[in-house]
Amino acid sequence: MCTGCVYSVRALTDSLGLGSIRCCTWNRSIELQRPADAAAIDLVASDALIVKSSKKSPLALRMVVFAMTMICGIFICTMCMKQLGSDSLSRIVKIEVAEQLCNKSAILPSEVHFVHYPQPITYSRSECKCTPVRFFAIISSQRSGSGWFETLLNSHMNVSSNGEIFSSKERRSNISSITKTLDKVYNLDWNSSASKNECTAAVGLKWMLNQGLVANHADIADYFNRRGVSAIFLFRRNLLRQLVSQLANNHDRYLKQLNGTHKAHVHTAYEASILARYKPILNTTSLIQSLKQVDDYTRDALENLKSINHITIYYEDLIRNRTKLLDVLDFLKVPRSKLVSRHVKIHTKPLSEQIENWDEVYNALNGTQYESFLNADYRI
């Protein structure tokens, strides 16, 4: 009970001849001591107020105590709610003030939407609070060089790409799960080996088309555009090489040729040579249709996601010319630096030495729109 409440009750008891009333706010109860004179006290004042002893009218006295307790309780709850509200408001004000203190004059008006100042809840980013962060996603398909490409980006001291997060079916079960996961990543609350000691200037993930991306393309495009997320489209031009890589990877998934362990990527030439020994036999009857389906699937996905701020790169271009990586760093607005990877390429030989039934494949594709896949498209 408030102090004013205590004074009011005390004045009332003094005038009535009651012994004393003790009133507390939190953990004490209100106690009324019986007056020295047990006889009824009749007080006739100008306002004709009549108060009788607690012995003759206990119900009335209890009602008075109950009412005063309720009033004090409501007062306390109101003050607590106001205090909580002011704390939340002060937190918002602090965040806004922190952003206002950062110098944003170097940011072009067209780039403001893509510049963020995350406030993670798992740790303090106070030392990096004025380092703007770009959100990105590497959008690709299996065996397109995305694993190698991501390790290159993660070698940059200011870039953190958190891997193939949506390989977990639970995280992509519905659009609500997807956006919840994305919010955690872009708020810098996702813990992975990609976390850096330096201030993060670009944060993202690797996302395969068949991991809920195509199925929810409209909602995801809306999320990216609303949150200012940029996309790095990474694909392969030579779909035949991609098919050989997929079949070889599936083969090793079952046989586990490296000491009983399946490895989609290797770090030594010896391991690469073991995995490259497998030469798949392709079904030439359905080969053209299979290549067309993959081509159409990718083209449709790019068409549905074209509204997103993006850059498109191809694996073959990165192999031929590593300076293409500088275009990606410029796109992410991070300082240029040398990027390195420990990944070792598995299939380095011409396709004629990697496909068991090469002659049949050559005859099936020669003279078609996929004839260019038969030729060497890059040198290692």
Side-chain angles (χ1 to χ4, degrees):
M1 187 181 296
C2 56
T3 305
C5 176
V6 174
Y7 291 154
S8 299
V9 174
R10 184 173 296 167
L12 175 61
T13 56
D14 291 344
S15 65
L16 296 179
L18 296 173
S20 66
I21 292 181
R22 293 191 295 112
C23 179
C24 281
T25 304
W26 297 105
N27 59 351
R28 298 179 182 176
S29 60
I30 298 177
E31 299 180 2
L32 296 176
Q33 296 182 359
R34 186 176 177 181
D37 187 0
I41 301 176
D42 295 331
L43 178 62
V44 180
S46 58
D47 56 353
L49 175 65
I50 301 177
V51 180
K52 294 185 178 180
S53 68
S54 59
K55 183 175 180 181
K56 292 187 177 182
S57 57
L59 180 60
L61 184 58
R62 290 175 183 173
M63 290 299 294
V64 171
V65 173
F66 177 75
M68 295 176 64
T69 304
M70 289 295 295
I71 293 173
C72 291
I74 294 174
F75 173 77
I76 293 170
C77 290
T78 302
M79 294 302 296
C80 290
M81 293 298 293
K82 288 182 178 180
Q83 184 65 32
L84 290 175
S86 63
D87 289 344
S88 300
L89 180 60
S90 63
R91 173 175 169 80
I92 296 174
V93 171
K94 287 180 180 178
I95 293 175
E96 291 180 350
V97 170
E99 291 190 10
Q100 291 175 0
L101 294 177
C102 299
N103 184 13
K104 303 179 183 179
S105 60
I107 301 175
L108 297 176
S110 59
E111 296 292 325
V112 170
H113 182 59
F114 303 101
V115 174
H116 311 277
Y117 297 87
Q119 296 287 335
I121 60 176
T122 54
Y123 67 96
S124 173
R125 195 172 177 262
S126 57
E127 72 279 6
C128 300
K129 65 181 180 181
C130 286
T131 300
V133 179
R134 307 272 176 159
F135 300 161
F136 71 89
I138 303 170
I139 297 178
S140 186
S141 56
Q142 283 79 3
R143 313 312 295 178
S144 294
S146 59
W148 167 68
F149 176 75
E150 186 178 42
T151 59
L152 288 169
L153 285 186
N154 274 329
S155 69
H156 194 289
M157 63 187 302
N158 302 119
V159 179
S160 294
S161 188
N162 292 277
E164 210 168 308
I165 291 176
F166 290 108
S167 60
S168 171
K169 292 184 179 180
E170 293 182 357
R171 295 175 189 147
R172 65 174 195 258
S173 58
N174 53 61
I175 190 60
S176 177
S177 299
I178 291 174
T179 55
K180 182 179 179 180
T181 301
L182 291 175
D183 286 343
K184 191 172 182 179
V185 171
Y186 295 133
N187 199 48
L188 301 183
D189 283 316
W190 192 273
N191 294 322
S192 74
S193 58
S195 302
K196 301 295 175 60
N197 292 326
E198 303 296 331
C199 292
T200 299
V203 63
L205 68 154
K206 186 174 66 168
W207 202 348
M208 301 294 105
L209 292 177
N210 61 354
Q211 294 175 347
L213 186 53
V214 170
N216 300 278
H217 64 84
D219 290 324
I220 292 170
D222 177 71
Y223 178 93
F224 278 26
N225 290 327
R226 176 166 44 84
R227 292 293 310 274
V229 180
S230 301
I232 302 173
F233 296 141
L234 172 63
F235 297 101
R236 289 183 87 148
R237 286 194 173 95
N238 195 323
L239 302 181
L240 185 59
R241 279 190 176 272
Q242 182 179 2
L243 178 59
V244 170
S245 181
Q246 288 173 344
L247 294 174
N249 186 61
N250 292 337
H251 176 74
D252 184 67
R253 181 177 284 112
Y254 293 104
L255 291 186
K256 298 178 175 58
Q257 303 168 85
L258 299 174
N259 297 323
T261 303
H262 167 61
K263 290 187 177 182
H265 308 97
V266 296
H267 296 150
T268 68
Y270 173 73
E271 292 175 328
S273 65
I274 293 178
L275 298 184
R277 291 174 186 172
Y278 174 69
K279 298 169 64 175
I281 298 176
L282 305 187
N283 185 344
T284 56
T285 303
S286 60
L287 181 57
I288 293 179
Q289 182 62 26
S290 298
L291 295 175
K292 186 178 186 305
Q293 286 179 349
V294 174
D295 192 23
D296 291 344
Y297 183 77
T298 303
R299 290 179 185 275
D300 290 344
L302 292 177
E303 178 66 23
N304 292 329
L305 299 173
K306 67 179 182 180
S307 64
I308 301 172
N309 181 49
H310 67 274
I311 182 176
T312 303
I313 55 177
Y314 290 93
Y315 176 74
E316 290 82 359
D317 296 339
L318 294 175
I319 291 292
R320 290 194 195 101
N321 185 3
R322 292 293 182 90
T323 59
K324 287 289 184 180
L325 290 171
L326 299 179
D327 296 338
V328 177
L329 297 183
D330 292 342
F331 175 72
L332 295 176
K333 300 296 188 293
V334 295
R336 289 187 172 191
S337 66
K338 182 180 179 180
L339 305 181
V340 296
S341 173
R342 294 179 57 228
H343 281 205
V344 176
K345 185 171 175 58
I346 297 173
H347 297 99
T348 61
K349 298 179 181 179
L351 281 174
S352 59
E353 299 180 30
Q354 297 179 160
I355 299 175
E356 186 68 32
N357 57 335
W358 169 251
D359 292 339
E360 296 177 14
V361 171
Y362 183 89
N363 293 331
L365 298 183
N366 190 32
T368 70
Q369 60 182 351
Y370 304 114
E371 180 180 13
S372 61
F373 296 167
L374 300 170
N375 304 319
D377 49 0
Y378 56 83
R379 293 183 181 275
I380 305 300

